[in-house]
Amino acid sequence: MGKKGVLLVNLGTPDSPEVGDVRKYLDQFLMDERVIDINAFNRTLLVKGVIVPFRSPKTSKLYKEIWDENGSPLLYFSKIQAALVQEQLGDEYHVELAMRYQNPSILSALEKMKAGLVESIKVIPLFPQYASASSGSVIQLVMELVSKWATIPAISFVNSFHDNELMIETFAENAKKYQPETFDHVLFSFHGLPERQLLKCDHTGNYCLKKDNCCETLNDTNKMCYSAQGHNTARLIAEKMNLSRADYTVCFQSRLGKEPWVQPYTTDVLKKLAVEGKKRLLVFSPAFVADCLETLYEITVEYHEEFKALGGEHVQLVESLNDDPKFIQALVDMAKG
């Protein structure tokens, strides 16, 4: 019998923080029809004519702030995750790591599995909450590539794990070292999405953004909604920490462009909390399973400085799951499940 394949896929990272590599990364990322979901002509004009030329030098500077002796933190931790999952699963499994954008590519990882004669493939996009622009994009590309094989192995996907018990426990335990009781408020800051992408996931057409607090509670209508799954992740972590609903806020960062994105925006929440006299904020970013630009710079540096300028004192990031043994066990369980 052949080995069981396990493909772990994260978003991606430039090969280096230099402008040329950042430009390649942003071009591939933003030209994805699921990321900027407008017609191909307008997407090409926007991405290649406006966003990439102007953002690449700025984004390059940000990547240089977080790049260290191990290179990209996202890739570094993702490699460790894959190696530890392989170690725990043993020789019956063939584990590969891929990035949706840039390297190692999904194509190269699948080709290694094909050459290894795997009898099945379990694909685990490393995004706890489902979004068409992340998990959906990974699943689509894997299906497109494997569909060209002469012999197609049994293939399955984990489309989300927003309520995974071990993941929830890991985030809650990571916060303990910062003494959460010494902070005035807790933020769960998720990566943002355009509102139109949430609306596309509402197949009823009369629920998303039409009902008050439509994302607050997970139900049959919104169970595949990125925002609703994010609220559910935040609620579960908060329960582990014995937080009341008034103790925390769910918000969304990393907005691009002027159209409406999922709200409230993290920057607006920082202003509101500062006005209320809050001084110390503890911030989770549970859309990420490995620390990256959005956690190590956007929250740790940008939001900290922004909050201090508003009169606050400190914004403390709770680190991501990275190489925590409990999260590795969660991945192992998903691979076997």
Side-chain angles (χ1 to χ4, degrees):
M1 297 290 287
K3 293 186 177 184
K4 298 175 182 177
V6 178
L7 179 60
L8 304 176
V9 187
N10 213 319
L11 188 73
T13 180
D15 290 336
S16 83
E18 299 305 320
V19 174
D21 284 329
V22 172
R23 183 180 292 116
K24 289 178 187 176
Y25 168 70
L26 290 177
D27 184 76
Q28 186 186 11
F29 174 34
L30 299 174
M31 281 300 294
D32 186 337
E33 63 184 9
R34 284 180 175 265
V35 173
I36 297 187
D37 52 335
I38 59 178
N39 72 72
F41 179 76
N42 287 340
R43 182 170 60 252
T44 301
L45 285 180
L46 179 63
V47 173
K48 296 183 179 293
V50 180
I51 299 177
V52 170
F54 286 96
R55 283 181 70 96
S56 296
K58 296 177 183 177
T59 305
S60 170
K61 290 179 182 178
L62 302 185
Y63 271 112
K64 287 177 180 177
E65 292 289 331
I66 67 164
W67 221 265
D68 58 24
E69 66 273 11
N70 297 312
S72 160
L74 176 67
L75 182 58
Y76 172 73
F77 284 118
S78 296
K79 285 180 175 178
I80 292 176
Q81 289 168 353
L84 292 174
V85 170
Q86 178 69 78
E87 181 181 306
Q88 289 207 28
L89 287 173
D91 292 339
E92 293 181 15
Y93 288 80
H94 178 151
V95 179
E96 289 289 343
L97 170 70
M99 295 288 161
R100 175 59 184 87
Y101 312 106
Q102 295 302 287
N103 300 300
S105 69
I106 291 177
L107 175 61
S108 66
L110 287 173
E111 288 297 325
K112 289 178 182 177
M113 288 186 171
K114 184 179 179 182
L117 304 176
V118 297
E119 65 179 28
S120 64
I121 300 175
K122 171 67 73 70
V123 182
I124 307 177
L126 294 171
F127 314 109
Q129 302 80 26
Y130 176 87
S132 171
S134 54
S135 307
S137 179
V138 168
I139 292 168
Q140 177 178 331
L141 181 57
V142 169
M143 290 193 294
E144 288 174 355
L145 293 171
V146 175
S147 70
K148 298 173 184 177
W149 295 4
T151 55
I152 298 176
I155 187 164
S156 59
F157 301 90
V158 174
N159 65 13
S160 70
F161 50 96
H162 59 93
D163 56 355
N164 183 277
E165 181 70 16
L166 291 175
M167 179 192 74
I168 299 300
E169 288 179 7
T170 303
F171 272 121
E173 289 175 3
N174 282 351
K176 286 182 180 178
K177 68 181 71 135
Y178 301 110
Q179 299 178 298
E181 65 278 3
T182 66
F183 288 82
D184 299 317
H185 200 70
V186 175
L187 296 188
F188 293 95
S189 183
F190 292 83
H191 198 285
L193 278 181
E195 285 186 351
R196 69 171 185 273
Q197 294 190 12
L198 294 190
L199 291 167
K200 286 181 178 181
C201 291
D202 177 10
H203 300 302
T204 70
N206 58 14
Y207 185 86
C208 181
L209 303 178
K210 295 181 175 65
K211 304 284 186 181
D212 290 339
N213 301 315
C214 59
C215 296
E216 189 76 21
T217 304
L218 206 63
N219 56 51
D220 286 341
T221 303
N222 67 11
K223 63 185 177 183
M224 290 304 294
C225 168
Y226 172 77
S227 176
Q229 289 189 358
H231 276 79
N232 193 53
T233 300
R235 178 183 62 80
L236 293 171
I237 297 172
E239 286 178 356
K240 284 286 181 188
M241 297 174 63
N242 295 315
L243 299 177
S244 72
R245 187 61 188 87
D247 292 331
Y248 71 92
T249 300
V250 176
C251 48
F252 299 86
Q253 63 186 82
S254 309
R255 188 178 169 204
L256 176 65
K258 296 181 179 179
E259 66 175 303
W261 279 44
V262 192
Q263 297 184 47
Y265 305 132
T266 303
T267 52
D268 290 345
V269 172
L270 292 178
K271 294 172 186 174
K272 177 176 178 291
L273 293 174
V275 168
E276 293 175 357
K278 306 296 193 221
K279 296 297 183 182
R280 289 168 52 79
L281 306 180
L282 189 66
V283 184
F284 293 83
S285 194
F288 303 99
V289 302
D291 280 314
C292 53
L293 186 66
E294 287 80 1
T295 63
L296 297 173
Y297 191 83
E298 190 169 4
I299 292 175
T300 303
V301 179
E302 289 185 350
Y303 289 154
H304 174 70
E305 292 177 352
E306 183 176 341
F307 190 57
K308 285 189 72 175
L310 293 166
E313 294 177 359
H314 187 55
V315 169
Q316 176 62 57
L317 171 72
V318 176
E319 64 267 30
S320 195
L321 305 168
N322 297 330
D323 57 355
D324 189 281
K326 274 195 176 181
F327 179 59
I328 301 304
Q329 186 60 53
L331 293 175
V332 168
D333 293 345
M334 284 185 258
K336 291 180 175 179

